[in-house]
């Protein structure tokens, strides 16, 4: 009878990587459905493009590395990376945007670091930042939400917008103020830079509620999906609640100091990619801190960074930058807050 020695943690579980990743993908469905409703069929096309690119890129690089292709693809990590990147991209962004971002995420960020478990950055967010820095116009051109647009973006129009952008540029627009518009956070930040107060900016139609038309519903849907993951014990609560708690405290303090130049806590929590980051991105076990105390510090750091960049930086959403900066600090956090071994004495 063989006695197998394995490294800690010695936890018995039936959830393997492929099942965990599959559950994450399934819990994204409420948020994806909300995006399809508010922003049209373009999100669905971006998801298909990202999935095809991710699996082809993953299979190709595994073949070059002489790794088992079929078995590795079954871990569903490429599926989750493709989904997270696709839903973060504007629905009518040109097709090559999502292809470039997915290739960078899978080939460079994930596989060139050694594959799943060895990457130091979240692949989807690294791909997103590459696209945002390289193609800022395309990456900030969002579809007008369904409830304030004259017409919804159907599948035919989405195909034309993604694969033949010149069709859009010729004036074939469908919304009340053109094909696309800035996000609520971007609109508010631009208005503040022009001397308007928060109250004056919120009078615009896109701010039918405090978090922005469409964006409140999308964030609420991702919150529901995140709570389901907590219920299924796919993720732990520390990072998610630390992000939301830190962001709420910072934004409440700023809003109380000067409500005319600072965004309300509700808008910070339910606009942009806040809920998506708190439950689906920052909780990536590979790139986050590992101990309970470390996860709280890691999450709080992301929440504070989101607030600082949104308030004082040049990027309105700031989620991707905050996550990547925290990824760099995760090893440092783990080093200093790792649990003490039983019987350890300080100074030894």
């Amino acid at each position: 009878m063989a006695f197998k020695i394995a490294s800690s943690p010695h936890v018995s579980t039936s959830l393997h990587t492929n099942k965990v990743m599959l559950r994450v993908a399934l819990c994204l469905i409420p948020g994806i459905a909300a995006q399809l409703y508010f922003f049209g069929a373009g999100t669905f096309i971006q998801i298909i493009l990202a999935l095809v690119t991710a699996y082809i890129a993953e299979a190709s690089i595994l073949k070059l590395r002489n790794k088992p292709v079929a078995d590795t693809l079954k871990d569903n990590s490429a599926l989750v990376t493709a989904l997270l990147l696709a839903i973060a991209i504007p629905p009518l962004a040109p097709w090559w945007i999502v292809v470039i971002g997915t290739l960078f995420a899978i080939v460079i960020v994930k596989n060139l670091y050694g594959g799943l478990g060895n990457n130091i950055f979240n692949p989807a967010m690294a791909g997103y930042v590459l696209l945002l820095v390289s193609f800022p116009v395309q990456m900030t051109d969002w579809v007008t939400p369904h409830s304030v647009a004259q017409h919804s973006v159907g599948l035919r129009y989405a195909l034309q917008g993604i694969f033949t952008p010149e069709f859009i540029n010729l004036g074939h627009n469908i919304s009340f103020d053109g094909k696309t518009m800035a996000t609520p956070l971007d609109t508010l930040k631009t208005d503040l830079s022009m001397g308007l107060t928060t109250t004056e900016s919120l009078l615009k139609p896109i701010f039918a509620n405090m978090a922005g038309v469409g964006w409140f519903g999308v964030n609420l849907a991702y919150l529901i999906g995140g709570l389901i993951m907590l219920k299924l014990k796919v993720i732990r609560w520390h990072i998610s609640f630390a992000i939301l708690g830190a962001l709420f405290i910072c934004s409440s303090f700023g809003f109380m100091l000067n409500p005319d130049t600072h965004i309300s806590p509700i808008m910070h929590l339910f606009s942009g990619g806040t809920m998506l980051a708190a439950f689906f991105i920052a909780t990536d076990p590979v790139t986050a801190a590992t101990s309970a105390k470390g996860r709280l510090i890691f999450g709080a750091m992301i929440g504070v960074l989101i607030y600082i960049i949104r308030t004082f930086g040049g990027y309105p959403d700031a989620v991707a930058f905050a996550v990547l900066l925290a990824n760099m600090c995760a090893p440092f956090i783990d080093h200093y807050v790792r649990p003490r071994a039983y019987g350890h004495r300080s100074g030894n």
Side-chain angles (χ1 to χ4, degrees):
M1 182 176 177
F3 181 74
K4 183 178 179 181
I5 299 176
S7 62
S8 61
H10 305 288
V11 179
S12 177
T13 176
S14 60
L15 280 182
H16 299 289
T17 300
N18 61 336
K19 291 183 179 180
V20 171
M21 293 294 180
L22 183 59
R23 289 190 179 187
V24 172
L26 291 175
C27 289
L28 282 167
I29 291 177
I32 293 173
Q35 284 192 224
L36 289 172
Y37 173 77
F38 286 109
F39 301 112
T43 299
F44 175 74
I45 300 172
Q46 299 290 358
I47 289 173
I48 297 299
L49 288 171
L51 287 173
V52 172
T53 305
Y55 277 103
I56 292 176
E58 183 99 320
S60 301
I61 199 72
L62 288 171
K63 188 75 172 176
L64 290 173
R65 296 175 60 206
N66 294 319
K67 299 289 184 180
V69 176
D71 291 340
T72 305
L73 289 179
K74 290 178 182 178
D75 66 13
N76 292 321
S77 61
L79 167 68
V80 173
T81 296
L83 287 175
L84 291 175
L85 182 58
I87 60 182
I89 289 176
L92 296 186
W95 63 270
W96 45 268
I97 289 284
V98 70
V99 171
I100 292 173
T102 307
L103 285 173
F104 181 78
I106 296 295
V107 177
I108 305 296
V109 183
K110 180 183 177 184
N111 280 286
L112 289 192
Y113 276 91
L116 182 65
N118 298 299
N119 51 288
I120 62 174
F121 295 109
N122 183 284
M125 288 301 94
Y128 176 85
V129 167
L130 170 77
L131 295 174
L132 184 61
V133 173
S134 303
F135 312 104
V137 175
Q138 292 85 352
M139 288 295 293
T140 54
D141 215 12
W142 277 82
V143 174
T144 305
H146 166 70
S147 51
V148 294
Q150 294 178 359
H151 307 282
S152 60
V153 180
L155 183 60
R156 178 168 174 252
Y157 185 90
L159 287 169
Q160 291 171 320
I162 292 171
F163 291 100
T164 57
E166 62 273 10
F167 172 84
I168 305 297
N169 296 331
L170 289 175
H172 300 275
N173 53 61
I174 58 172
S175 63
F176 72 91
D177 63 346
K179 168 186 73 82
T180 54
M181 65 185 304
T183 64
L185 287 173
D186 194 17
T187 300
L188 186 54
K189 192 170 189 66
T190 301
D191 289 346
L192 290 174
S193 67
M194 296 174 62
L196 297 177
T197 65
T198 303
T199 304
E200 291 170 335
S201 182
L202 291 176
L203 295 176
K204 294 185 176 181
I206 191 63
F207 298 108
N209 53 53
M210 289 297 291
V213 174
W215 294 92
F216 180 86
V218 168
N219 274 275
L220 186 61
Y222 283 123
L223 172 60
I224 293 171
L227 293 176
I228 294 173
M229 285 206 300
L230 286 173
K231 178 67 176 178
L232 296 175
K233 297 183 179 179
V234 176
I235 60 173
R236 298 184 180 181
W237 61 270
H238 306 77
I239 293 176
S240 303
F241 282 79
I243 291 174
L244 300 179
L247 182 57
F248 178 81
I249 292 171
C250 291
S251 57
S252 296
F253 184 72
F255 191 68
M256 286 189 295
L257 283 179
N258 192 345
D260 288 334
T261 58
H262 287 75
I263 305 172
S264 71
I266 296 299
M267 187 166 185
H268 270 292
L269 293 176
F270 288 95
S271 193
T274 303
M275 293 299 172
L276 180 64
F279 290 97
F280 293 94
I281 296 173
T283 53
D284 173 18
V286 176
T287 57
T290 55
S291 66
K293 186 186 295 185
R295 286 193 292 268
L296 288 172
I297 297 172
F298 179 82
M301 177 183 294
I302 294 176
V304 172
L305 285 172
I306 290 175
Y307 176 76
I308 291 174
I309 299 173
R310 282 180 177 178
T311 306
F312 306 106
Y315 292 94
D317 197 351
V319 162
F321 293 97
V323 171
L324 293 182
L325 288 171
N327 288 162
M328 289 191 293
C329 298
F332 178 83
I333 295 172
D334 281 336
H335 177 75
Y336 284 100
V337 299
R338 60 187 176 185
R340 294 281 187 176
Y342 180 73
H344 173 85
R345 292 183 180 179
S346 59
N348 290 346

